[in-house]
């Protein structure tokens, strides 16, 4: 098999509001796309593979969407470009001999819509048989007592924390809002114990599916192997590839929050170079999906507020509204565009919010908790010094000056066709990805 990309070059696209979309159909296992927004800059549209002796034929349809509202903003808009097939000519391992990781996830647990999730609160707690709704449902952390009536004159007193039902959001969810092309994204949230993966003798935690069909994994430490079985570090264990690492040594300019030119990118890519890149059986299964470093700015007097701040902070202009869609394709960094040397990055603050973290409350029970600070790649603010979101030791989203020292926990994206050899996703029976 050989991997190739379907690219659009010499692109001119002045349509706004993602109202110009494309549909891609193919024969014999080629790439497909359903009403995805056309980019505004040249780059890769889709990635596919082709086996020896196979012919794949494509049909691409470009549509101007009917939104049901005034679309005069696109009067006179133009579109043009050159479609191109590119390949580095590298063979990849054909792992299509078992269920894919996405298929395994969806078979293990029914996904719920995120429509009722209140992202202003962290995800914690378990709903018990002795469920009592707090009298003040706006207070999410009421210390209270349960009273269980056994008879008219006999009570048993049980002490515990009353947790509002809106907080009990544990498991597999999906959203179709605020994603690229409104593609459905599946994500894990809260107290999760079935998203452990072993890939390349390292443990990982499944965070979400990406709009292109790949699966984003957060590094989870070294795997302990005993024969055919593996054990992974559990939630709450410090897992990192480096400690005491600055995001950037330089801090007194807003440009220093740019991940492309950061010191932390060097640390992450050096680790990937030494531990993943030498093995074709691993690199052939890693997708070159965008890693979003949202540099959108809002200036208020002397302070610059970046995009993630306005979406996630309590003082933001659109607080508690995370999004998977990157604010601009310019901020979605890939190897193909020349932004990165290797396809590896960090979590975004938005991904942390979907997973169950907030900027106001710690959470030592959800699966991203490691009992230590570690960096995201989402800028926070700039006022005299640059700041980036980090997860603090309670796994709340916290600001950190980029010259502070914090741990590094990378993320990668596995191709959708990656097969599961065995496992149930538990820490002592993780999904094992077939690599040879």
């Amino acid at each position: 098999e050989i991997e190739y990309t379907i690219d659009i070059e010499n692109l001119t696209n002045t349509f706004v509001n993602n109202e110009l979309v494309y549909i891609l159909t193919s024969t014999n296992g080629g790439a497909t796309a359903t009403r995805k927004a056309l980019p505004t800059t040249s780059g890769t549209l889709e990635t596919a593979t082709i086996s020896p002796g196979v012919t794949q034929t494509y049909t691409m349809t470009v549509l101007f969407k009917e939104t049901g509202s005034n679309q005069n903003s696109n009067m006179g808009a133009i579109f043009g470009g050159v479609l191109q097939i590119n390949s580095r000519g590298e063979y990849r391992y054909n792992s299509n001999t078992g269920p894919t990781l996405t298929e395994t996830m969806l078979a293990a647990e029914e996904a719920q819509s995120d429509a009722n999730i209140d992202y202003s609160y962290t995800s914690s707690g378990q709903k018990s048989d002795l469920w009592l709704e707090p009298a003040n449902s706006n207070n999410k952390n009421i210390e209270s007592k349960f009273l269980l009536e056994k008879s008219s004159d006999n009570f048993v007193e049980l002490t515990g924390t009353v947790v509002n039902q809106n907080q009990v959001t544990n498991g597999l969810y999906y959203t179709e809002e605020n994603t690229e092309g409104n593609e459905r994204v599946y994500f894990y949230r809260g107290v999760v114990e079935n998203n452990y993966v072993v890939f390349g003798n390292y443990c990982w935690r499944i965070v979400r599916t990406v709009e292109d069909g790949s699966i984003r994994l957060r590094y989870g430490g070294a795997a302990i192997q005993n024969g055919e079985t593996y054990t992974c570090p559990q939630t709450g264990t410090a897992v990192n590839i480096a400690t005491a690492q600055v995001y950037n040594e330089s801090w007194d300019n807003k440009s220093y929050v740019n991940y492309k030119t950061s010191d932390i990118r060097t640390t992450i890519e050096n680790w990937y170079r030494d531990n993943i890149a030498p093995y074709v059986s691993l690199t052939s299964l890693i997708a070159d999906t965008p890693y979003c470093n949202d540099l959108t700015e809002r200036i208020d007097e002397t302070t610059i507020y970046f995009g993630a701040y306005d979406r996630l902070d309590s003082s933001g202009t659109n607080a508690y509204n995370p999004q998977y869609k990157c604010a601009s394709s310019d901020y979605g960094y890939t190897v193909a565009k020349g932004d990165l040397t290797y396809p590896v990055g960090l979590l975004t603050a938005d991904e942390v919010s979907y997973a169950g973290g907030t900027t106001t409350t710690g959470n030592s029970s959800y699966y991203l908790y490691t009992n230590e600070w570690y960096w995201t790649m989402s800028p926070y603010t700039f006022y005299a010094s640059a700041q980036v979101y980090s997860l603090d030791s309670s796994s709340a989203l916290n600001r950190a000056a980029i010259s502070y020292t914090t741990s590094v926990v990378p993320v990668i994206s596995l191709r959708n066709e990656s097969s599961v050899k065995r496992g149930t996703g538990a820490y002592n029976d993780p999904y094992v990805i077939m690599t040879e």
Side-chain angles (χ1 to χ4, degrees):
E1 287 190 332
I2 292 181
E3 178 185 276
Y4 62 90
T5 56
I6 302 171
D7 301 329
I8 189 162
E9 306 293 344
N10 303 325
L11 176 64
T12 301
N13 180 8
T14 63
F15 284 81
V16 297
N17 303 323
N18 291 328
E19 291 177 5
L20 197 68
V21 299
Y22 69 94
I23 298 171
L24 198 67
T25 61
S26 65
T27 63
N28 297 324
T32 61
T34 305
R35 298 178 71 87
K36 293 180 70 172
L38 273 160
T40 55
T41 57
S42 297
T44 296
L45 295 177
E46 304 296 335
T47 301
T49 59
I50 188 165
S51 298
V54 170
T55 299
Q56 293 172 338
T57 303
Y58 284 91
T59 300
M60 183 175 181
T61 305
V62 177
L63 300 173
F64 179 56
K65 285 199 306 186
E66 167 63 63
T67 66
S69 58
N70 189 310
Q71 294 178 266
N72 288 346
S73 56
N74 275 314
M75 288 183 66
I78 58 174
F79 163 74
V82 178
L83 287 174
Q84 210 166 275
I85 303 295
N86 292 310
S87 176
R88 292 179 297 180
E90 294 180 356
Y91 289 95
R92 61 177 301 278
Y93 173 68
N94 181 3
S95 63
N96 294 317
T97 55
T100 68
L101 184 53
T102 301
E103 289 170 341
T104 305
M105 287 166 47
L106 298 179
E109 181 176 1
E110 183 177 356
Q112 308 171 62
S113 168
D114 77 327
N116 296 320
I117 292 179
D118 185 346
Y119 287 106
S120 63
Y121 298 105
T122 187
S123 174
S124 63
Q126 298 282 1
K127 184 173 179 179
S128 71
D129 293 335
L130 302 176
W131 178 259
L132 293 179
E133 188 74 18
N136 177 5
S137 61
N138 291 322
N139 188 336
K140 308 298 178 181
N141 292 288
I142 301 173
E143 292 292 331
S144 183
K145 293 183 178 180
F146 298 111
L147 293 179
L148 174 64
E149 185 176 0
K150 297 178 70 177
S151 67
S152 60
D153 59 352
N154 186 7
F155 291 84
V156 175
E157 186 175 346
L158 301 173
T159 304
T161 302
V162 176
V163 181
N164 184 276
Q165 191 170 4
N166 288 339
Q167 282 188 274
V168 186
T169 49
N170 304 319
L172 186 61
Y173 288 81
Y174 67 85
T175 184
E176 295 169 352
E177 300 290 331
N178 300 317
T179 65
E180 294 288 350
N182 294 324
E183 291 285 328
R184 176 173 289 194
V185 170
Y186 294 95
F187 62 95
Y188 283 102
R189 178 176 172 84
V191 182
V192 178
E193 295 299 337
N194 63 341
N195 67 339
Y196 291 86
V197 171
V198 167
F199 174 70
N201 291 324
Y202 294 105
C203 291
W204 307 82
R205 302 295 291 271
I206 304 171
V207 177
R208 67 174 181 111
T209 61
V210 185
E211 289 88 333
D212 65 359
S214 60
I215 303 97
R216 185 144 294 172
L217 307 179
R218 192 217 66 183
Y219 178 80
I224 299 174
Q225 185 174 6
N226 183 14
E228 290 291 302
T229 64
Y230 293 85
T231 301
C232 290
Q234 291 182 267
T235 300
T237 305
V239 290
N240 57 68
I241 62 165
T243 58
Q245 172 65 51
V246 298
Y247 189 93
N248 235 348
E249 289 283 359
S250 303
W251 49 267
D252 57 349
N253 188 287
K254 68 177 184 179
S255 65
Y256 294 134
V257 300
N258 192 329
Y259 177 79
K260 277 199 296 188
T261 54
S262 67
D263 295 321
I264 199 169
R265 175 192 162 191
T266 302
T267 298
I268 292 172
E269 292 196 342
N270 285 349
W271 177 85
Y272 185 100
R273 177 199 65 198
D274 296 338
N275 296 278
I276 303 294
Y279 308 103
V280 174
S281 61
L282 303 182
T283 57
S284 66
L285 294 177
I286 296 177
D288 185 23
T289 56
Y291 292 93
C292 186
N293 179 222
D294 186 359
L295 300 175
T296 305
E297 297 180 10
R298 174 176 62 87
I299 302 175
D300 184 1
E301 297 181 352
T302 58
T303 301
I304 296 174
Y305 297 94
F306 293 102
Y309 177 96
D310 277 339
R311 291 190 298 275
L312 304 176
D313 197 89
S314 58
S315 301
T317 57
N318 189 25
Y320 308 121
N321 282 285
Q323 65 181 44
Y324 285 125
K325 180 180 180 179
C326 202
S328 167
S329 59
D330 292 338
Y331 305 147
Y333 298 153
T334 66
V335 175
K337 293 195 301 179
D339 307 312
L340 308 175
T341 305
Y342 298 106
V344 61
L346 293 170
L347 287 172
T348 66
D350 295 84
E351 288 172 330
V352 173
S353 179
Y354 279 109
T358 71
T359 59
T360 57
T361 308
N363 184 350
S364 61
S365 60
Y366 80 127
Y367 73 94
L368 293 182
Y369 172 66
T370 67
N371 197 28
E372 63 177 355
W373 285 69
Y374 62 99
W375 293 107
T376 78
M377 63 188 297
S378 297
Y380 180 77
T381 61
F382 176 80
Y383 173 74
S385 66
Q387 297 177 320
V388 169
Y389 274 114
S390 291
L391 284 84
D392 64 22
S393 57
S394 71
S395 277
L397 278 168
N398 213 327
R399 61 184 180 178
I402 61 175
S403 57
Y404 286 3
T405 56
T406 295
S407 295
V408 183
V409 185
V411 293
I412 60 173
S413 296
L414 283 189
R415 297 189 185 282
N416 181 44
E417 63 266 26
S418 303
S419 293
V420 175
K421 186 175 182 180
R422 61 178 176 273
T424 61
Y427 82 96
N428 56 358
D429 187 27
Y431 296 129
V432 179
I433 303 301
M434 200 176 299
T435 57
E436 59 183 8

